[in-house]
Structure formats: structure tokens, C-alpha cells
Amino acid sequence: MSEIIGIGLLGLGNVGSGLVELISTNREHIQDRADVNFKILHAVVKDLNKVRQSNGIELSTTPDKLLAEDDVKIVVELLGGVDPAFEWVSKSLKSGKHVVTANKSLIAEYGDELLKIAADNNVRLLYEASVGGGIPLIRTIQDGLIANEIESVTGIVNGTTNYILTKMEEENLGYAEALKLAQAAGFAEPDPTLDVNGADVAQKLSILCRLAFSTHYDSTKIPCQGVDILTQDDISVAEEFGYRIKMIAHAEILNGGHDLWVEPALIPSDHPLANVRNENNALLVYGNAVGELMFYGKGAGRLPTASAVLSDVIEIAIASPLHTDMVERKRIGISELRSSNFYVRLPILDKPGVIGKITTVLGEHQISISHASAAIRKNGDSGFGQVRIITHAVDPAKLNLALKEIKGFPEMSGEPVALRILEVNGDRRN
Ligand code: HSE
């Protein structure tokens, strides 16, 4: 019979209660497969009255008692956000406890600092659940693909926005209604703005970059566009043209830097990423030896996230340290962005010559159009509508300049929207 390892929880919400359930449901399987056994001894919660079932776990509202308990060997941080997570995780590591976290904000912003504290104190800090929910991405990139130069990572890493886009496309739900469903299902962040404005995706992309490229990008500096700019019309027009819109994170070695962005993009409807539905995530990783790999599965939710968290806890209990986390991060840079086809939506007033003025400006910037359509609604003497254009490959900087010029036209009725069409013709390196 294996020794029982004591766990302390910082946070006992959706994922915390999932972890309690998983340890209990799979106890025998875990013992059979890994010969380890766990007991959750202590949990720090915000409000003692809100805990429905404590399952014999001692509860408190500050971490002091948990940190003083010698029997707590592994601390699992499930608070989210940086404050107080940074302070409590640092204290845990400094008091000689291993830490497992699902917190992407914390790792994206303070990963290097915390890993150094962990190394200085001879303990480990693991974060498998921070990207891709239940998909074992972190250790796969860090360990399984260690023999490769990773050239690119591209994919869907936010369950909430993928769920919203799926519901908007398949059930014609409005954006707000779809977001409410994602919140009710427990996929969304406590502040769902972080999901829909792309900040959560940028943090995950920053973590993927540290693993894949040994570099560090401040997630707030990654070019980022949220799904909150999209309308039902964008989704329908994309479908008409043979595409689906997905929230994409992309990083690729390009011209001595990285082509790096987070945006809703158009994907050909027969591509595997286009068929990733609901809260599922998927990541394409290109390694110079292995070629292209695709990882797919539930990217958010109580038990999938608990599965990743518990895998870290078990890894700490059974294995020797991973060394790759302590390499020095290189400071590279974001390269000029790669040229791409774009879908452009331009809200206009129905004035004579407006479409001609738009196409003239695009022509002056050498932007060539491959498809165009317009939908105008008349309202008495006036009218308004949308021009929708698909461009041939264009430098994004050039397109931005043209759109800036067009934006100043008095015939425009709102902000132009430009979405990248992802270049995914199978494996384009072959
Ligand atoms: N809010 C996140 C998502 C949770 O929807 O993907 C998992 O990181």
C-alpha cells in the first residue's frame, strides 16, 4: 500500500470540486497505474458559507494554516488571476511545497519568476491545465516533442469563444445568448470579457511560445482581436464563401522573428480546425522532425480541467524533475506579419459611388479582390448596409492603411472589420 500524499487546495470552485470528485472516483485506477494515493487535507476558500460539500476537508479563508501544515506536500492553486495567486503560490514554494496550477494569467505573466523560486527551493511548479483544458499539451510539447525544432503552433485554445461561435453558427443564437450558455456551463472565466476580447487566448499563446520557442512574449503585447467584433452576418457570409470563423492563436517562426497573432479567422470548412465544435480546443503543432501534429479535446470544463490538474499532481508524486522549464528565455521579436487573404466587412450608408470609392482605395493600395458582395437595406430615402469583400493575399499592414483611409469616408456607417483567412492547405511545407 502506497503512502498517502497530502494536498492543499487554494480555491474550491468548479475545478476544485471536480478534482475532489476525480480523486475519489479514480482512486483505485490511479493506485493501479501509478501506485500513489492522495488525500485533500485543507482548502482555502473565499466564503465558508458557499461550500456545499467539504468532504472532510478542513476549510479556511486565508492560506496561513495550510502553509504551516507539514503534511500538505502539494498545493493546487485554482484561484485564477494574479492577485492573490502570485503571493500565495510564492509562499507555498518558499515553504517547500510543490505547486500545481491551472492559472494561465499567473504562468503567462510570472512563469519565469515562479519557476525560479521553485528551483531555488527544490520543489516543482507544474501547469498542464493552463492551456487546452484536458488535452495534455504542455508536457507533450515540453517532453514528447523535445527532439524537434518547433516551427509553428496554430489552433483554438479558448472553449468559451468556440462554444459561442458554434452556437451562433449552428443554432443561430445571438452572441449574448450564446455567451450566457457558456457561462452557465462553467467554461467562461469569472470575468468573461477575458474570453471574448482574446486576453485569455493571448495568455495561452504566450505560454505555448515559452514551451515551443523558449521565448517570452508579454501576452498584452501580442496583436489581438476579440470575437466581440463579429456579427451573425459575418458568420453567414463566411459560410456562403465556404469558410467557418474560429478564434485562432497563431505563432510561427518567420524572418528571424515570430508571426504572432490572436484573432477570429476564416477557415475552409473542410479543414479539421473548422470542425472543432463547442468547448473543444485543437492545436496544430509543426515540428521539423515529426511534421504536423494535431491535438484535440475538451478545452474547458470541470472534469477535463481536473484531469489535467491531477495528472500534474501524480507527475510530482512519481517522477523526476523536468529540466526544460529552467532554460533561459530568448528575447526574440514579433516579425512583420505574413501576407494573407482577408475577409473585409465595411458598414456603409447607401450613397451614390460609395462602393466605387472603396474599391478605388483598395486598388490604389494594390489590394486585389477575389469576391465581393453587398447587402443594402432601404429606409425611405436613406439606406445602409454592408460591403463584404474577400481579398487575394495582402500584407496586413497595407490593408490596415487602406482601411484607415476608407474609415474616414463620410459614407461609412461604422468600423470596418478585417478577418484573416487561415492558410491551411494541408501541410503547406510539403
Ligand atoms: N475560460 C477558459 C476557456 C477556461 O473558455 O477556454 C479554460 O482555460
Side-chain angles (χ1 to χ4, degrees), residues 15-316:
V15 178
S17 67
L19 183 66
V20 174
E21 181 184 325
L22 194 57
I23 289 181
S24 154
T25 319
N26 284 355
R27 186 177 302 281
E28 274 184 37
H29 301 292
I30 294 167
Q31 267 189 290
D32 284 351
R33 293 183 65 194
D35 194 24
V36 284
N37 198 350
F38 302 103
K39 185 167 169 50
I40 300 179
L41 298 173
H42 202 121
V44 180
V45 297
K46 249 196 217 137
D47 183 350
L48 293 173
N49 297 320
K50 275 202 182 154
V51 180
R52 276 190 227 125
Q53 259 194 320
S54 68
N55 295 70
I57 303 168
E58 189 177 347
L59 301 176
S60 53
T61 52
T62 63
D64 305 332
K65 202 151 175 237
L66 180 154
L67 291 174
E69 264 187 56
D70 281 344
D71 286 344
V72 171
K73 303 290 181 207
I74 302 174
V75 171
V76 177
E77 186 271 307
L78 301 167
L79 302 162
V82 161
D83 187 23
F86 176 77
E87 186 195 330
W88 293 5
V89 166
S90 311
K91 279 190 176 160
S92 304
L93 296 167
K94 285 177 186 164
S95 49
K97 300 183 190 307
H98 302 286
V99 173
V100 170
T101 179
N103 188 334
K104 54 254 158 172
S105 319
L106 186 69
I107 296 298
E109 202 170 329
Y110 292 107
D112 287 342
E113 198 170 328
L114 290 171
L115 284 160
K116 167 108 182 37
I117 298 175
D120 289 348
N121 289 279
N122 216 14
V123 288
R124 298 180 69 193
L125 168 65
L126 297 187
Y127 49 95
E128 182 62 67
S130 64
V131 185
I135 313 171
L137 274 179
I138 304 279
R139 248 176 280 131
T140 303
I141 296 177
Q142 208 170 21
D143 252 10
L145 296 176
I146 190 76
N148 285 260
E149 177 184 15
I150 304 229
E151 296 183 7
S152 65
V153 290
T154 306
I156 297 165
V157 291
N158 182 271
T160 302
T161 48
N162 203 51
Y163 185 88
I164 293 172
L165 292 173
T166 308
K167 294 290 171 206
M168 285 176 80
E169 186 187 318
E170 294 182 5
E171 294 173 28
N172 266 324
L173 293 190
Y175 169 82
E177 204 180 340
L179 171 59
K180 261 196 201 142
L181 285 180
Q183 285 177 288
F187 306 143
E189 295 302 301
D191 173 6
T193 320
L194 299 177
D195 290 297
V196 298
N197 72 7
D200 175 88
V201 182
Q203 286 167 353
K204 289 167 176 166
L205 186 58
S206 161
I207 296 174
L208 290 172
C209 284
R210 73 194 307 283
L211 297 169
F213 308 127
S214 295
T215 185
H216 173 80
Y217 284 109
D218 177 344
S219 69
T220 61
K221 303 271 162 58
I222 295 177
C224 180
Q225 172 82 74
V227 292
D228 40 4
I229 52 156
L230 296 176
T231 63
Q232 189 68 48
D233 188 56
D234 292 323
I235 292 172
S236 314
V237 173
E239 204 175 346
E240 252 170 59
F241 288 135
Y243 297 100
R244 290 207 176 116
I245 300 184
K246 293 287 178 193
M247 182 63 164
I248 298 292
H250 174 79
E252 178 181 4
I253 298 173
L254 183 72
N255 302 332
H258 289 115
D259 182 35
L260 193 63
W261 47 266
V262 167
E263 291 167 16
L266 277 70
I267 321 274
S269 51
D270 59 354
H271 186 274
L273 283 182
N275 294 300
V276 175
R277 299 172 57 249
N278 295 325
E279 77 273 26
N280 287 299
N281 285 189
L283 191 74
L284 298 168
V285 180
Y286 192 95
N288 67 345
V290 76
E292 189 166 65
L293 299 176
M294 179 161 169
F295 301 93
Y296 166 82
K298 295 217 181 305
R302 184 171 172 267
L303 286 179
T305 311
S307 158
V309 168
L310 187 51
S311 82
D312 278 346
V313 171
I314 296 170
E315 160 78 15
I316 287 172

Side-chain angles (χ1 to χ4, degrees), residues 315-336:
E315 160 78 15
I316 287 172
I318 61 177
S320 59
L322 294 170
H323 298 295
T324 46
D325 238 340
M326 286 320 299
V327 299
E328 201 173 322
R329 306 288 154 200
K330 291 175 282 203
R331 305 280 151 178
I332 305 186
I334 300 175
S335 68
E336 278 174 25

